[in-house]
Amino acid sequence: MIDPKLLDDESLKTTLAKRNEKYAKMAEELSLINNRWKLLKAEIDNLRHEQKSRSTMMRTLKGDEAASLRDELKKLSDTIKEKSSLLLVIENEKMEMALHIPNIPYADTPDGGEENNREVGKWGSIPEIENPLPHWELGEHLGILDFDRASKMSGSRFSILKGAGAKLERALINFMLDEHTSSGYTEMSPPLLVKRDTMVGTGQLPHLEEDAYKTSGDDPYFLIPTAEVVLVNSRRDEILENSELPVKYVAATTCFRSEAGSYGRDVRGLIRQHQFWKVELVKITAPEESENELIELKNNAEGILKKLELPFRTVMLAKGDMGFAAARTFDLEVWLPSENTYREISSCSNCTDFQARRTKIRYRPNTGDKPQLCHTLNGSGIAVGRTLLAILENFQTPDKNVVIPPVLRPYLGGKAMITPEGLK
RNA sequence: GGAGGAGUGGCCGAGCGGUUUAAGGCGGCGGUCUUGAAAACCGUUGAGCGAAAGCUCCGGGGGUUCGAAUCCCUCCUCCUCCGCCA
C-alpha cells in the first residue's frame, strides 16, 4: 500500500504512470476519496464528542428531564449511526482502491518495459556444448525425470524427480540453506497454507487472485506461491526492537502457482511448474538500510550461482516489468544452453514500506521514539527446480552424462557424475 | 468430531451498563539518595486518524442501549478433557 499522505504529490503520479497509466488515475481517485473520508470523519468525531459529554448528564437527571434528554440523544445517536455507515462505505471503497495501487519505483530504475531492463552484472563463461540437449531429454535419458507419470496423476506442469534427480534436489536445498544460514539468515519451516489476509499483506492479493490455489469452503486456505508470504507476515502487527534489525530469514518451501495466463509458455520441462521448491530470503530492515541490504541479498543469491559454477547475468528491472510490491528489483538470469539464452532464476526486490504498511511491521529507532514502518526485502536464493535444470544443461557431457558441481558433491556422498546407471 | 474454559496496554492482572478519563503490579525511562551500584522513595510510560479541538482502539465483525471492556449473536485464536489419527 502506498502512503496516503503522498497522494497529492504530482511526482508520485508521474512515477506511477511509468508502471502503467491507469495507476496514476487510481491515485488521483484515491486522493479524492481520501479527502471525502477525512471530512466525514471530522464531522462524526464532533457529533460523538457532543454525544459523550451530554450522555454523562443522564446519570443525574430524573423524570421528565431525563426523558426529554433521552429523546434528543436518541436522535443524535441515530444521526451518528447513519453517518458512520456511510463512512464505512467510503472506507471500504478507499481500501479497495488503495490495495490495487502498486508500489512506487525508485527514480533511478529504468523507464519502459521488459525490453529496457538494464544489465548490471555478468559472471562465468558460457560452456561450449555441441548440440546441447534440453534438460527434459537429458533427464529422461538419465532416468531422473519423469513427466509422463506425473501428468498421469496431476496433469500438465508436474514432474517426478527420481533416484539421483530426487537426491540432487535435496542436495541443492541443503546446500542453499547451509550457505544462507552461514551468512546470518535464520532458517524457518513455515506453514504453506495461509488465510486470505496473509496473502493481502504481502500484495499477492487482491490483484493476483487467479494465480493462487486455494481450498474450498467459506474460509479458504491459500497455498503459498512463495515463502515470502509467510516470512514477511510472520512479523505482522509487531513493533520490532531496533537492535533486532535487520531481521534475516531463509526458508525452503514448496511453492504453488496456477500459472493462469501463461498457457502455452514453457510447457515442456521444469521451467514453469504448478509446484516447485524454492529457497527464499527475506529481510526486514530500517528504511535507510534497505538499499544496501538489497545489494547484499542479491550478492547472497549470486553467491549460490557462483559456487555452483553456473554462468549468469544480473539485470535491474524497468519500471514496467517490476512486481506489484517492489520499488527496485534485480533479476538473476542463469544461462540455459538449450535455449541459448539467460532465464530468470532469482528475483530480488526491495519492497520499501509497501508491505510493511499493509502488514503493520514497524520498529522504534530509539527508546521513546514513535514507531516507524520498516522496509521489507525478498529474493529467491534460489529457485531449486530451475537450478537443477540449469545444472543438467550446463554440466552435460558429450556422452549424455552430467557432472556434479564440486560444491554439491559432499551432499551426494562424494559422487561426481550422474549417469543412466545412477550416481558415480 | 464431542464437551468445557479463556482472550484487557511491552508483560501479569482487576473491572461485568454511566467519576474507566482502563485500578494495581512487573518491566522500561527520568529523578532523589549514593564514591558508584543495589534497595527504597518520587515522577513518568501504548497505537491510529486529525492543522487543532477532538475522536477511535479491551481478539475480529454485528446487535441491544441515550450510554458497552461490561449484555446478546457470530466468527477467529489459545487451553483442558474425551474420541480419532501421521
Side-chain angles (χ1 to χ4, degrees):
Chain A
M1 199 151 50
I2 61 173
D3 186 350
K5 292 197 174 75
L6 299 177
L7 279 173
D8 295 320
D9 186 338
E10 276 308 312
S11 71
L12 171 141
K13 282 173 221 161
T14 320
T15 315
L16 271 180
K18 287 180 178 169
R19 269 183 181 270
N20 192 316
E21 290 290 344
K22 69 178 176 187
Y23 294 130
K25 287 203 189 75
M26 285 166 75
E28 187 86 49
E29 262 179 84
L30 181 56
S31 165
L32 292 175
I33 294 174
N34 196 41
N35 289 336
R36 269 212 291 156
W37 178 85
K38 274 191 209 169
L39 282 175
L40 187 57
K41 174 78 161 54
E43 193 185 340
I44 292 171
D45 282 358
N46 289 333
L47 291 174
R48 253 201 261 271
H49 179 56
E50 191 186 336
Q51 180 188 41
K52 273 176 89 166
S53 54
R54 295 181 67 189
S55 69
T56 50
M57 290 162 64
M58 279 299 294
R59 281 177 64 237
T60 50
L61 293 180
K62 292 259 169 359
D64 286 352
E65 279 186 315
S68 87
L69 180 57
R70 184 180 294 120
D71 286 349
E72 266 182 67
L73 286 175
K74 171 71 178 157
K75 282 188 196 117
L76 184 56
S77 169
D78 288 344
T79 311
I80 291 174
K81 273 178 192 161
E82 206 176 297
K83 288 187 187 288
S84 296
S85 65
L86 179 59
L87 186 71
L88 192 69
V89 170
I90 296 176
E91 218 161 72
N92 288 339
E93 211 178 319
K94 182 178 144 183
M95 216 28 166
E96 178 67 15
M97 178 87 41
L99 287 176
H100 279 90
I101 298 176
N103 201 356
I104 307 149
Y106 277 106
D108 62 334
T109 54
D111 289 343
E114 190 181 350
E115 67 286 352
N116 289 354
N117 290 348
R118 184 189 303 153
E119 185 176 302
V120 294
K122 205 170 205 173
W123 186 91
S125 50
I126 288 163
E128 286 176 27
I129 304 169
E130 263 184 68
N131 303 316
L133 289 178
H135 65 277
W136 56 88
E137 283 182 27
L138 200 54
E140 282 174 347
H141 166 74
L142 291 168
I144 63 172
L145 267 179
D146 188 340
F147 293 99
D148 295 340
R149 293 195 177 93
S151 63
K152 184 159 66 178
M153 299 182 286
S154 305
S156 66
R157 295 201 194 283
F158 286 93
S159 58
I160 297 173
L161 287 168
K162 187 178 159 194
K167 277 199 193 313
L168 181 58
E169 179 179 68
R170 187 151 56 90
L172 281 168
I173 291 166
N174 285 333
F175 162 67
M176 292 179 197
L177 286 174
D178 286 349
E179 284 296 309
H180 295 311
T181 50
S182 68
S183 301
Y185 292 84
T186 303
E187 184 174 341
M188 309 281 267
S189 180
L192 308 184
L193 268 55
V194 298
K195 291 176 182 294
R196 166 171 228 100
D197 56 349
T198 303
M199 294 282 279
V200 172
T202 28
Q204 276 72 27
L205 293 184
H207 82 297
L208 276 183
E209 180 102 37
E210 62 295 345
D211 199 38
Y213 284 116
K214 62 180 174 195
T215 60
S216 59
D218 292 336
D219 194 12
Y221 285 113
F222 287 80
L223 281 69
I224 58 166
T226 162
E228 167 200 343
V229 172
V230 267
L231 296 181
V232 171
N233 273 284
S234 68
R235 306 307 296 272
R236 191 165 71 191
D237 296 319
E238 292 190 37
I239 299 172
L240 309 183
E241 291 299 327
N242 195 9
S243 56
E244 202 192 342
L245 302 181
V247 172
K248 296 165 72 174
Y249 292 139
V250 58
T253 69
T254 313
C255 304
F256 305 91
R257 296 183 185 179
S258 79
E259 295 295 345
S262 62
Y263 301 113
R265 208 187 311 158
D266 304 314
V267 285
R268 304 205 63 179
L270 289 175
I271 279 271
R272 198 174 293 276
Q273 303 262 290
H274 287 311
Q275 171 192 325
F276 57 95
W277 280 91
K278 183 158 59 67
V279 171
E280 181 76 3
L281 304 172
V282 157
K283 287 190 189 184
I284 302 172
T285 75
E288 59 276 13
E289 300 300 329
S290 67
E291 281 287 86
N292 286 333
E293 294 288 348
L294 177 64
I295 300 296
E296 193 198 280
L297 187 147
K298 181 203 69 149
N299 290 343
N300 294 142
E302 288 179 345
I304 298 294
L305 287 166
K306 287 177 180 173
K307 289 206 172 179
L308 290 170
E309 300 173 27
L310 289 166
F312 67 93
R313 65 172 196 146
T314 305
V315 297
M316 191 197 290
L317 297 192
K319 294 182 177 71
D321 197 29
M322 260 191 274
F324 191 70
R328 186 190 305 285
T329 298
F330 293 107
D331 270 11
L332 273 49
E333 300 179 338
V334 72
W335 179 256
L336 289 192
S338 73
E339 296 190 22
N340 199 41
T341 187
Y342 290 98
R343 291 298 302 263
E344 178 188 338
I345 197 163
S346 169
S347 194
C348 304
S349 299
N350 182 357
C351 296
T352 59
D353 61 10
F354 185 85
Q355 293 177 330
R357 185 169 292 106
R358 289 177 167 224
T359 48
K360 298 192 179 66
I361 301 177
R362 292 168 295 177
Y363 81 111
R364 220 181 279 282
N366 296 293
T367 313
D369 286 356
K370 282 276 173 192
Q372 266 188 47
L373 290 170
C374 293
H375 280 191
T376 62
L377 292 75
N378 67 80
S380 354
I382 56 183
V384 175
R386 289 190 179 181
T387 307
L388 189 144
L389 78 87
I391 288 172
L392 296 185
E393 294 203 0
N394 283 281
F395 286 84
Q396 60 183 297
T397 62
D399 50 354
K400 301 188 188 177
N401 294 324
V402 170
V403 174
I404 294 165
V407 75
L408 281 183
R409 293 176 194 170
Y411 293 88
L412 289 164
K415 301 289 169 43
M417 185 88 85
I418 303 173
T419 73
E421 289 77 43
L423 289 165
K424 282 197 174 162

